[in-house]
Amino acid sequence: MRRAACALLALALLTGCSKDAKPDKLKPPTIDGVEMFEGLTHEHEPPASYPQTPPVGGNHSKAWLTCGVYDEPVPNVNAVHSMEHGAVWITYRPDLSEDERNAVRRLQGLKPEYVLISPYEGLPAKVVASTWGYQLKVDRVDDPRLAAFVKEYAGGGQGGEPGAPCTGGLSPEEAERFNASSGASP
């Protein structure tokens, strides 16, 4: 009986993470300043680059990142896969003060299993919150729209795989090794 349950779980995980996943039709954002991006692809073939900084979806690695707080940049192609699972990826400029970084890190506590936080070089704003198809850029770490964004989208079905985990994925170090062995780099 246990073997059958494990087989069914493995099948559900494999089919839930297919290249055929399609997002629900994106709804117009309800948070002021959120941009919406439609027509994102779902192939497990990482692109050379993404049109948004940081990306909001599109082709990505077969492996997702475990949601959490990271003090180093994470690979785009794995973070995008996490967003397909419903993650909110909060990125911040690496030159933030320690107090500002701590304020951003606290956002992870709103929905720990679906929030990914990391520094990101070259951001168009001090902090950028992204999820599949949506992005919010802010210049204050205490902007209340950041918490609203997490509450609205973390764990949501906008990536086309509602209920897929953002736990049990790879660490950034494991993702780098996986990507190097599979030819995925962005």
Side-chain angles (χ1 to χ4, degrees):
M1 179 66 107
R2 183 177 171 157
R3 191 175 294 166
C6 288
L8 285 173
L9 178 60
L11 180 62
L13 288 174
L14 288 173
T15 57
C17 218
S18 75
K19 69 179 188 175
D20 297 326
K22 300 287 186 253
D24 296 330
K25 180 162 174 47
L26 297 177
K27 299 173 185 164
T30 59
I31 301 166
D32 187 43
V34 171
E35 296 176 77
M36 186 171 73
F37 303 87
E38 295 184 286
L40 301 167
T41 58
H42 287 265
E43 300 294 324
H44 287 160
E45 299 172 10
S49 65
Y50 289 98
Q52 300 86 24
T53 302
V56 298
N59 290 359
H60 51 272
S61 172
K62 293 178 184 178
W64 69 90
L65 287 174
T66 295
C67 282
V69 177
Y70 299 104
D71 293 325
E72 298 294 325
V74 300
N76 286 342
V77 295
N78 306 99
V80 169
H81 193 149
S82 296
M83 289 191 296
E84 186 181 45
H85 287 199
V88 166
W89 184 19
I90 301 173
T91 52
Y92 60 87
R93 289 184 180 161
D95 63 353
L96 292 184
S97 71
E98 187 64 27
D99 287 343
E100 289 173 314
R101 285 193 304 271
N102 287 335
V104 172
R105 290 175 184 138
R106 282 193 290 275
L107 293 165
Q108 206 257 346
L110 295 172
K111 192 133 188 195
E113 65 277 16
Y114 282 103
V115 176
L116 175 65
I117 297 176
S118 69
Y120 198 102
E121 289 286 341
L123 283 180
K126 193 175 258 191
V127 180
V128 179
S130 306
T131 194
W132 194 275
Y134 299 96
Q135 190 168 76
L136 173 67
K137 300 169 188 153
V138 300
D139 283 316
R140 289 186 8 251
V141 299
D142 62 348
D143 190 313
R145 294 176 298 162
L146 289 169
F149 191 94
V150 170
K151 290 174 184 175
E152 175 79 17
Y153 297 113
Q158 64 274 357
E161 295 186 4
C166 193
T167 57
L170 301 180
S171 70
E173 296 80 19
E174 292 167 328
E176 291 287 352
R177 288 191 298 274
F178 177 86
N179 296 339
S181 69
S182 66
S185 60

